[in-house]
Amino acid sequence: MGRAGIQSAEEALAIAQRAEKLPGVELVGLMGYGGHAAGQPDLEAIRKVGLEEGKHLTAAAALFRAAGFAVPELTVGGTPSGPPAATVPDR
């Protein structure tokens, strides 16, 4: 939707790489939220949005891990999209 936050995993990684150089800053996880799930017309459409959210976040986590970040925590989804997003395997 482009309203706020980081729009790509690569952009997030670049920010994390800069932030890790700051004293007292430690990356402990990634968070994703696709607020557009609430506007979907039915449960199947919400499920698809949730699955996409989960896939995007786990792909971002893989990119971060390949760059040397541990990424111990992932959180994704809101009330409608969280349950299907949670079914996407992390590794």
Side-chain angles (χ1 to χ4, degrees):
M1 295 181 71
R3 295 187 306 191
I6 305 305
Q7 301 304 311
S8 72
E10 293 78 15
E11 184 181 2
L13 178 59
I15 291 170
Q17 289 169 327
R18 288 193 307 264
E20 78 172 333
K21 295 174 184 167
L22 299 172
V25 175
E26 176 186 1
L27 178 81
V28 296
L30 298 174
M31 185 252 180
Y33 176 70
H36 60 289
Q40 298 303 308
D42 56 41
L43 291 176
E44 180 57 23
I46 292 170
R47 186 186 74 77
K48 287 180 182 178
V49 168
L51 290 174
E52 284 302 309
E53 285 182 65
K55 289 175 186 175
H56 287 299
L57 194 67
T58 56
L63 179 70
F64 273 62
R65 290 177 180 130
F69 288 94
V71 192
E73 299 289 332
L74 297 178
T75 182
V76 65
T79 300
S81 62
T87 67
V88 177
D90 181 24
R91 298 180 198 206

